[in-house]
C-alpha cells in the first residue's frame, strides 16, 4: 500500500507535507480549466447569469416570461444549428491535454458548474474556492446537500489525478457537519490518502475559514470505463 | 423505533407493501412541482435548452459566441430589472403549500434541475423518471457520480416527507455499482426505512429496467435549520 496519510486523520487544511506521496516534488498547478471570458466561456457565463436571474425573479414579477422563453429558445435554436453531431462532439470534448472543459463542477463550458477551479499543491492536496448562489439552494439560505456531494465527488477525482492515479467512484460517504451557506466563499479541498492495489482512498472537505461544513471519504477503483454502445 | 423495512433489504423496486409505515393508506400523489410549460416554467425550460445547446455546440463551431453572450446577458439584465430583492424573494420562494419550485433537482424554476418529478406510492416509496443529458456527464457517455448523489440526496429527502417526517442530511453513502448512462430514461426510487427518535434512515436507487446503477443510504436528523444571519 502506498499512503500519504499522516498518523492523524487529515484535517483538510493541506498544511502537512507527507514523507512520501506523489505531490512531494511537484509544483503548484492549475488542474482544471480556467474560463477565458471569451468565446463560449463568455456565453456560458452569461447563461449562468440567466439561470440565476430566473431564480431571483421568480414567477410573480412583471417580467414577460413568454418573451424571455422565446428569446432563449431562439438562442438554443441558433446554437443547435451550428452544433456538430453528438457523436463528433463526444470525441471532440474528450480530446486535448486531459483537462476537461465541460464537466458540471469545473467546466467553463457547462453553465451548471458553479464553476470551481482546482489547484494542486506540493503536499499532494488540491483546493479551490467557489461561491454558491440561489441555483444551488437546499434548505433556506443553505447549499443543497447533493450539491456539496457533487463538488466533493469531483474534487476527490481531481485529487486522484494530482496523485498520479485515477479511478471511478465505487463508494462515496458524505458527513454533513453544519449547513453550508450560500453566497459565501467556500473552500473545497481534497487529497488522495492511500492507494492499495486497485483501490484508491481519497478524502475531502468543504469549509470556510476554520469552519468545516462537509467532509467526504471516497473509494475509487482503477478501471477502464467502456464507451457506451 | 418505527420501521417499514422488510426483513430483507429493500430492493428499490417499491413492489412490497410493508405491514406498517406511513404510506399504507395514502393514495399515490405527486410530491414535487410539475412544470406547466407556461410563464417562468417555459422560460426555464428554454434556459435548459441553452445550457445543453452550448455543450453540444462546444467552442469549435462557427457560432458567433460573442453575440450569444450578448443576447444571454440582455435576458439576464432584463430579468434582474424585474426581480424583487433577494430578501423578499427568499421569503416568497419558500411560501406556499410545501412543494418547492426552485430546488436544483425537481424545480421547474431551476434550469440546473434535470428536472425530476417524484410521485409517492401507497407502499411508502417515492419514484420518478428523468433522462440526463450532456450537462450531467462524468465519464464519457455516463452520468457524473456527483449528479447521481444530487438526485439521490434530494429523493431521500422527499421520501422522508412522504413518510410524514423530515430532517437534514447528516450522512449520505453512495454505492456506485455500474456507470449510469446518459440519454436513457432512469428511474429514481427512495423510501424511508426507519425512524429512531431524531434519526431517520432512508434508502434509494437509480436504475433502468432491471439494472441498478447506484444505491444510497442516508441518515437524516430531525432538526430546525436556523435562517442565516
Amino acid at each position: 500500500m502506498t499512503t500519504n496519510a499522516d498518523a492523524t486523520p487529515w484535517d483538510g487544511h493541506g498544511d502537512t507535507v507527507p514523507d512520501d506521496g506523489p505531490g512531494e516534488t511537484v509544483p503548484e498547478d492549475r488542474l482544471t480549466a480556467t474560463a477565458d471570458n471569451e468565446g463560449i466561456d463568455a456565453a456560458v457565463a452569461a447563461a449562468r447569469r440567466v439561470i440565476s436571474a430566473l431564480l431571483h425573479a421568480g414567477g410573480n414579477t412583471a417580467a414577460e416570461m413568454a418573451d424571455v422563453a422565446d428569446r432563449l429558445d431562439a438562442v438554443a435554436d441558433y446554437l443547435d444549428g451550428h452544433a456538430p453531431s453528438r457523436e463528433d462532439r463526444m470525441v471532440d470534448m474528450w480530446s486535448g491535454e486531459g483537462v476537461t472543459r465541460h464537466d458540471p463542477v469545473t467546466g467553463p463550458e457547462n453553465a451548471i458548474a458553479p464553476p470551481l477551479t482546482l489547484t494542486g499543491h506540493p503536499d499532494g492536496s488540491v483546493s479551490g474556492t467557489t461561491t454558491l448562489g440561489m441555483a444551488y439552494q437546499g434548505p433556506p439560505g443553505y447549499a443543497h446537500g447533493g450539491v456539496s456531494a457533487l463538488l466533493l465527488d469531483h474534487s476527490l477525482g481531481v485529487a486522484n489525478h494530482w496523485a498520479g492515479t485515477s479511478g471511478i467512484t465505487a463508494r462515496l460517504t458524505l458527513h454533513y457537519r453544519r449547513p453550508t451557506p450560500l453566497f459565501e466563499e467556500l473552500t473545497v479541498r481534497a487529497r488522495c490518502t492511500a492507494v492499495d492495489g486497485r483501490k484508491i482512498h481519497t478524502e475531502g472537505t468543504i469549509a470556510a475559514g476554520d469552519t468545516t461544513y462537509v467532509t467526504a471519504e471516497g473509494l475509487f477503483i482503477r478501471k477502464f470505463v467502456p464507451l457506451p454502445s
Side-chain angles (χ1 to χ4, degrees), chain A:
Chain A
M1 176 184 288
T2 302
T3 175
N4 58 4
D6 299 300
T8 51
W10 183 51
D11 66 359
H13 285 272
D15 52 2
T16 58
V17 179
D19 292 328
D20 57 357
E24 200 175 19
T25 59
V26 287
E28 300 217 356
D29 203 3
R30 193 60 58 88
L31 298 174
T32 53
T34 306
D36 58 14
N37 298 317
E38 293 180 6
I40 189 171
D41 293 6
V44 169
R48 279 192 201 106
R49 285 194 61 211
V50 170
I51 295 168
S52 178
L54 283 163
L55 279 162
H56 278 272
N60 297 325
T61 71
E64 293 289 344
M65 287 295 181
D67 184 54
V68 169
D70 287 345
R71 291 163 71 181
L72 294 174
D73 274 323
V75 170
D77 289 342
Y78 172 77
L79 289 165
D80 285 346
H82 289 77
S85 72
R86 183 199 288 176
E87 292 68 24
D88 286 348
R89 178 67 180 132
M90 286 291 284
V91 172
D92 179 60
M93 76 196 307
W94 287 99
S95 303
E97 76 286 15
V99 175
T100 59
R101 306 195 89 256
H102 60 260
D103 71 77
V105 176
T106 72
E109 297 182 7
N110 191 332
I112 284 179
L116 177 68
T117 304
L118 290 164
T119 302
H121 305 292
D123 70 355
S125 69
V126 306
S127 71
T129 57
T130 193
T131 301
L132 300 175
M134 203 82 99
Y136 306 97
Q137 187 174 227
Y142 294 103
H144 195 290
V147 169
S148 297
L150 174 60
L151 295 177
L152 282 163
D153 178 60
H154 194 84
S155 299
L156 267 54
V158 173
N160 291 340
H161 172 70
W162 181 236
T165 186
S166 72
I168 64 165
T169 319
R171 187 182 66 233
L172 179 69
T173 304
L174 291 310
H175 299 275
Y176 296 90
R177 302 186 184 283
R178 291 173 188 81
T180 302
L182 297 181
F183 312 120
E184 292 183 24
E185 187 176 86
L186 304 170
T187 300
V188 183
R189 296 182 180 86
R191 188 165 73 159
C192 175
T193 55
V195 177
D196 181 10
R198 291 176 59 213
K199 295 182 181 177
I200 305 163
H201 297 270
T202 317
E203 297 178 3
T205 61
I206 298 177
D210 291 334
T211 306
T212 298
Y213 299 112
V214 188
T215 63
E217 308 139 24
L219 170 65
F220 296 78
I221 306 292
R222 281 201 285 199
K223 65 157 65 169
F224 292 103
V225 179
L227 283 170
S229 56

